[in-house]
Amino acid sequence: MNEKTKNLVTVCLMAALLFGTAFWCWIKEADAYTSGERRTLAQFPKLTAEAVRSGDFMEDFEEYTVDQFPLREQLRSLKAFTALKILRQQDNHGVYEYEGHLSRNGDPVSEPMLTHAAERFQYLYENYLEGTNVNLYFSVIPDKNYYLAEESRHLSTNHRELVESMQSKLSFMSYKYIDVSQLLEAEDYYRTDTHWKQECITDVADHFASGMDITLEGKYTTEKLDIPFYGVYSGQYALPSEPDGICYLTSDTLSRCIVTSFSTGSPRESVLYNFEKAEGKDPYEFFLSGSEPLLTIENPHADTDRELVLFRDSFGSSLAPLLAEGYAKITLVDIRYMQSSMLGNFIDFEQQDVLFLYSDTLLNNSLALR
Amino acid sequence: MLFSSIPFLYYFLPGVLILYFLVPKALKNTVLLLTSLFFYAWGEPVYVLLMGAGILSGYVSGLLIERFRGKCASRVFLAISVTVSLGLLAYFKYADFFIESFRTVTGLPLSLLHIALPIGISFYTFQTMSYTIDVYRGDTAAQRNLIHLATYVALFPQLIAGPIVRYTDVAQQLSQRTHTLSRTASGIRVFVLGLGKKILLANTLGELCTVYQESQDKSVLFCWMYIIAYCLQVYFDFSGYSDMAVGLGRILGFEFMENFRYPFISRSITEFWRRWHISLGSWFRDYVYIPLGGNRVSRSRWLLNIFIVWMLTGLWHGAAWNFVLWGVYFAAFLIFEKLFLLKKLEQSRILCHIYVLLTVLVSFVIFGAADTGSAAETLGGMSGLTGLPFRSPEQMYYLRSYGGILLIAMIGATPLPKMLLSRLAERKTGAAAINIAEPILLAVLLIISTAYLADGSYNPFLYFRF
């Protein structure tokens, strides 16, 4: 190939690439949602004189063109491949792969975030728990990264430092700390997701039972959903990854439990395992239907009248059913989705067990707690 | 609108190229002007009027300067034109800086104006000034066609980030330019390489700099990693943008001056500034330093001239004291070199490279710092005298994660890759391999750059604030 041919090929190839892609951009219909990033995609902005004058139109248009770019998911994979495999970067948007597990680099312990979480707990304590006969428990679930980072030489949140700091901030109340960090390992979490696997945490449930002085028989049958589960890290990592499977535990006791949701303010029948949600955007919402501000699990055949109030994040969704045997009623409260000040309308605190169960990640990024 | 953005690459640019190559020759400048105004208005809908006023002032002044050539009025019109340009710059870029500095010194309760900086104002005002000064000096004829002059000032490839194109360099091309296959291919090559420099290198290095700035866990190693990454980021950001401008210009039939020529291989600071932001250095030389008398004056006046030029160069980069300090810092080294050091530097090749790199690295600590306090903090950290640990596990992670890109950037900042390619091209089979590989590699680079953009990567352009 001589110089002239090279120039001709260069111009033709680049023109085809530029104009072909541009034409595709111009005519492509807008997608609504990206499953990889689990978010809605920007749509063509409304064109108004004010939006143009303020520059909002241009900003929104740029967002729209990036979100709606043809083959965006494939290009994200190409970017991840370039960063991880060619430039040898250790993570893509903080997410890395180690021995088949996808995980996210942990942030340094954030004292302001822990303080915020502690302040929210203090509000609950002072308004509902102080002066009652409740038994208080507190536990922090280590991030999966805690079990991988040392070996994979990635960054992790210092779980022990976080727990110690949190404990010092909760000195206003008397509680028992239940440490589950020794019972878990990376394999107890989904390979592509941040959450733990229900079938791997029966020992964790037993440990809570022992800590809170309840009895669990713990005999379950393991069932498996026939759907591939691409966890939250899968889309963020952007390179192809093998899906997880979702297993869930059943028993006679669990099948008789009555689940009631208060997400609309009034009671509505719900389920422990939501098969419809399993086919949705986040299959982990299979457990207790995902984001629910207030739920109760009643066990009509319980040998006890004890009750548990579980202040929790999403990890609690798969654990709570395993504690159902030991209680007549479990009330799950997620103060990310309801104002703490509303709680008095739904729960009378008297002598329940009250467990604050949160993950490292949530406590270290606690602004969502209300 | 950034060159390194999806709207520019796949909406604006294809549209402009289609229009530009479809219209007859007589309308090409009109197309360029209108699309350039659209390009500017995209980011600055209101300030496009300001730029229009600047262009009009330059146009009328140029005609009047020529009309009254040799008379006192000519000088008056030049003064008016320069005052308008500098006035725009002083008001929109420096007003708050001056007020704040005055307030600090006097303690008077003056309130700031909070004026948003119009993008590219430092570039287009300098271009307008160079035009009227050149007309006054008789180096060029005044442009009678307003569209031609407006196209020169507003031409989108160099509008917001340079290089600072002299009117005399493109005057001929404004009315008569040719488009050839080899020039178009060369323009594409330079543009895509610039895009890759900006997106793959500068933006990735920028991520490391952000990590450093946000980290509470500093160490000696981290300070050094940061400043090396920052220095390379600025280089690839700015030279990448300049390359894109040069490439686009070439596709459109213009030839802009090279703005960077491997500055990090310099053996003195004097040489560094002949290789870094060449269009700015030559602008200050021709329109400030030489009119002040250059070096053909007394020694003390000569040193004062250098000091003034470099203080202004620093101030041009930003309305903050750290930029002034940055300029004065270079003035000190340039004066020192001219008086004592240049001859000594010639004695050791290795030492002079170490000297230049250290001097430049320290200068970028000043350049990149939010204030003089944080510059001192980073410099202290680099020295290892402030009690910081040498390293921490976190920083070793970042070194592993960004080590590859740092190495590529360091090699890419030298002429080594170009030399290797030239050697290869000397052989017949090597030349053939390059000819086959080049178009494919350019296409791959464009696709990968697009992939980074589609992934929504970090993408600010550092020189916007100038």
Side-chain angles (χ1 to χ4, degrees), chain A residues 40-87:
Chain A
T40 53
L41 292 165
Q43 301 298 306
F44 193 89
K46 200 173 174 187
L47 183 60
T48 64
E50 175 52 28
V52 171
R53 195 201 58 77
S54 65
D56 289 347
F57 175 81
M58 292 75 157
E59 212 171 285
D60 294 345
F61 180 78
E62 173 142 6
E63 204 182 316
Y64 157 78
T65 59
V66 173
D67 268 8
Q68 300 294 344
F69 199 78
L71 303 177
R72 183 164 176 272
E73 291 301 316
Q74 289 81 349
L75 288 169
R76 287 185 63 240
S77 296
L78 175 63
K79 183 264 171 177
F81 179 83
T82 308
L84 295 165
K85 309 295 180 190
I86 298 175
L87 300 177

Side-chain angles (χ1 to χ4, degrees), chain A residues 152-185:
Chain A
S152 68
R153 299 201 297 167
H154 283 80
L155 304 174
S156 74
T157 303
N158 189 328
H159 174 70
R160 302 218 166 279
E161 184 189 333
L162 183 145
V163 170
E164 280 168 20
S165 174
M166 209 50 218
Q167 284 180 308
S168 72
K169 292 178 199 301
L170 296 181
S171 57
F172 55 84
M173 64 183 188
S174 172
Y175 63 91
K176 179 179 178 183
Y177 183 75
I178 301 176
D179 184 2
V180 295
S181 63
Q182 302 300 319
L183 299 172
L184 291 163
E185 56 183 10

